[in-house]
């Protein structure tokens, strides 16, 4: 694969970004394209390993060594064909996925792994530039009608697969534009919405119908789906945010991260936010509670809104720079990571816990009281203890709660349908991706719980096969899971 001695001759190259001083002044994509010559070298680093563990790391089953080799040889059109064989939307995963495939790369045993994610993105960008991405409408129609609820990555992947199998597919989205969290959860600087829109245009050209402002169970009866469609795919995500039940939570200026990000994305779409509902970081001391990707998205957004200061808090200890002895390859490496947003200005605090939000006397937050914590092992379990006398406060005009999600929203559609739930609070499904309600299927975070985009696409593809088989008795659609 690639150049036999490539992994010896060439070092891993980092993703290129626009200068910080330039990119924080706009909402354009922060990444810069890799030069083609450098990409070929990176593809050449892919080893002829006996067992490509990158396959295990990727839920989609992407045939990574093949397209690494094709990029090294300059065979770009063959590379996109190989990539699309397993992934409907490599421009999404190549931009947003944390790349578990790289964590599983065999080269990572004693060296830096192959830059799989950058190569993937370069392939799909080249394919769009060359005009190789064309609509693929079905040649034969089945006459079966399917409703997909939710237009995030799981819903879109399922819709495209089902349409290409010849079914009539309608996607229902409760927001005013399709895309789900790809539209309103991911900041413009991380993925420009023209990237999403061009793929939506492809789906529309293939015959997928989109209906926005259609909140099933709220402004559209659930019974309509059951009556008018032969099957339903629930792909509404895990949208119930994890709250922070501490004193002062009710103060103005304390809100969920996704509310803040959605509003910012609406502005980037050109929408006007009423003054009484506007939430901005401009001129404020901002605290982001949660150290994950959503927190980093809030950080980049706050800096572009000209925040006075930004702190990002994490209750866990600071991860090590390299793998610890109890985190061996090919496990996902739990190491200290710096997103592009962190380079733009932030103070990151680890091993701290929020105690209370402090009132300014007029109903707004003015500070946050914190306490330092330590992780200890007791009876074989890790527990977090507060350190006595370690409390302190930091200024806070805007607090963004970015602590993940607890599962799907139950009120409305799921409650009316009466679906069964798992012990973890997600929608239950069988081995064919069907819920406890015959003809109603589920995929993505709604049944998996909060997870990665690559899992969402893989599950959308897998659920599509289950639906196709349910409707026709057999299916030729691939199923990665």
């Amino acid at each position: 694969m690639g150049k036999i001695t490539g992994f010896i001759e060439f070092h891993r190259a980092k993703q290129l970004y626009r200068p910080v001083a330039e990119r924080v002044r706009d909402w354009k994509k922060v990444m810069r394209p890799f030069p083609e010559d450098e990409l070929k070298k990176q593809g050449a680093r892919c080893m002829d390993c006996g067992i490509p563990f990158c396959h295990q790391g990727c839920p989609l089953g992407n045939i990574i060594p093949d397209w690494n080799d094709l990029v090294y040889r300059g065979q770009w059109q063959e590379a996109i064909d190989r990539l699309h064989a397993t992934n409907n939307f490599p421009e999404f995963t190549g931009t947003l996925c944390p790349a578990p495939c790289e964590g599983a790369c065999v080269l990572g045993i004693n060296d830096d792994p192959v830059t799989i994610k950058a190569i993937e993105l370069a392939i799909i960008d080249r394919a769009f530039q060359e005009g190789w991405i064309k609509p693929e409408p079905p040649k034969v129609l089945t006459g079966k009608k399917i409703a997909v609820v939710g237009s995030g990555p799981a819903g879109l992947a399922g819709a495209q697969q089902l349409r290409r199998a010849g079914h009539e597919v309608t996607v229902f989205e409760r927001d005013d534009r399709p895309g789900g969290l790809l539209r309103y959860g991911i900041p413009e600087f991380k993925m420009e919405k023209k990237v999403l829109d061009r793929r939506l245009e492809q789906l529309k050209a293939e015959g997928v119908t989109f209906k926005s402002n259609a909140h099933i169970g709220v402004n559209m009866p659930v019974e309509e789906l059951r009556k008018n469609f032969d099957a339903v795919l629930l792909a509404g995500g895990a949208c119930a945010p994890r709250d922070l039940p501490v004193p002062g939570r009710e103060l103005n200026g304390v809100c969920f991260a996704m509310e803040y990000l959605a509003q910012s994305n609406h502005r980037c779409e050109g929408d006007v936010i009423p003054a009484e509902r506007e939430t901005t970081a401009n001129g404020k001391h901002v605290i982001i509670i949660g150290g994950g990707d959503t927190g980093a998205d809030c950080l980049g957004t706050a800096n572009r809104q000209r925040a006075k200061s930004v702190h990002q808090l994490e209750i866990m200890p600071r991860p090590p720079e390299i793998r610890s002895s109890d985190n061996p390859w090919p496990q996902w490496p739990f190491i200290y990571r710096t997103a592009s947003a962190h380079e733009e200005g932030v103070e990151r605090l680890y091993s701290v816990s929020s105690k209370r939000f402090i009132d300014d006397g007029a109903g707004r937050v003015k500070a946050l009281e914190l306490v330092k914590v330590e992780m200890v092992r007791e009876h074989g379990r890790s527990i977090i203890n507060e350190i006595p006398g370690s409390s302190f406060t930091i200024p806070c005009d805007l607090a963004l709660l970015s602590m993940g999600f607890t599962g799907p929203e139950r009120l409305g559609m799921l409650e009316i349908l009466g679906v069964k739930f798992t012990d973890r609070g997600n929608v239950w499904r069988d081995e064919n991706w069907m819920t406890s309600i015959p003809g109603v299927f589920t995929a993505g975070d709604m049944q998996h719980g909060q997870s990665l985009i690559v899992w969402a696409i893989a599950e959308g593809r897998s659920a599509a096969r289950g639906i196709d088989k349910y409707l026709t008795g057999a299916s030729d659609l691939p199923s990665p899971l």
Side-chain angles (χ1 to χ4, degrees), residues 287-363:
I287 294 179
I288 302 164
I289 302 176
D293 287 343
T294 300
D297 293 344
C298 290
L299 166 59
T301 300
N303 279 326
R304 281 160 181 76
Q305 292 178 349
R306 304 293 186 268
K308 186 179 294 184
S309 70
V310 186
H311 288 78
Q312 187 173 18
L313 314 183
E314 173 59 67
I315 196 170
M316 301 298 289
R318 186 183 191 275
E321 296 287 341
I322 59 175
R323 288 179 184 267
S324 60
S325 58
D326 60 353
N327 179 215
W329 175 91
Q331 294 179 3
W332 173 250
F334 291 100
I335 58 175
Y336 182 73
R337 300 176 187 277
T338 302
S340 61
H342 293 119
E343 300 171 352
E344 298 166 3
V346 65
E347 184 172 350
R348 302 168 79 176
L349 302 181
Y350 289 91
S351 297
V352 293
S353 178
S354 303
K355 295 295 290 182
R356 67 185 178 105
F357 294 103
I358 300 172
D359 196 331
D360 70 350

Side-chain angles (χ1 to χ4, degrees), residues 175-309:
D175 282 323
D176 58 344
R177 299 177 180 91
L181 289 186
L182 293 170
R183 172 77 63 187
Y184 290 127
I186 303 299
E188 186 79 5
F189 62 82
K190 195 170 182 180
M191 188 181 79
E192 295 176 344
K193 297 306 171 279
K194 64 183 181 183
V195 173
L196 170 62
D197 289 334
R198 70 186 180 188
R199 190 61 86 167
L200 291 173
E201 289 305 312
Q202 182 196 26
L203 268 71
K204 292 174 184 177
E206 291 175 353
V208 176
T209 299
F210 289 89
K211 292 188 180 296
S212 299
N213 293 310
H215 196 170
I216 310 301
V218 177
N219 64 3
M220 182 173 178
V222 173
E223 293 74 19
E224 282 193 32
L225 298 187
R226 304 287 286 144
K227 181 176 67 175
N228 297 329
F229 294 90
D230 299 296
V232 177
L233 174 59
L234 306 179
C239 299
R242 181 172 283 107
D243 210 339
L244 182 63
V246 299
R249 167 63 181 89
E250 75 287 352
L251 293 173
N252 290 331
V254 182
C255 67
F256 289 115
M258 205 52 64
E259 295 173 356
Y260 171 71
L261 291 175
Q263 191 177 106
S264 175
N265 279 306
H266 272 287
R267 287 196 201 93
C268 288
E269 294 276 8
D271 299 337
V272 177
I273 308 298
E276 65 273 13
R277 291 200 301 109
E278 187 174 38
T279 301
T280 177
N282 184 260
K284 296 178 180 178
H285 296 291
V286 179
I287 294 179
I288 302 164
I289 302 176
D293 287 343
T294 300
D297 293 344
C298 290
L299 166 59
T301 300
N303 279 326
R304 281 160 181 76
Q305 292 178 349
R306 304 293 186 268
K308 186 179 294 184
S309 70

Side-chain angles (χ1 to χ4, degrees), residues 131-138 160 164 201-207:
W132 297 332
I133 309 300
K134 305 285 188 184
E136 299 178 29
Q160 186 167 61
R164 289 178 175 179
E201 289 305 312
Q202 182 196 26
L203 268 71
K204 292 174 184 177
E206 291 175 353

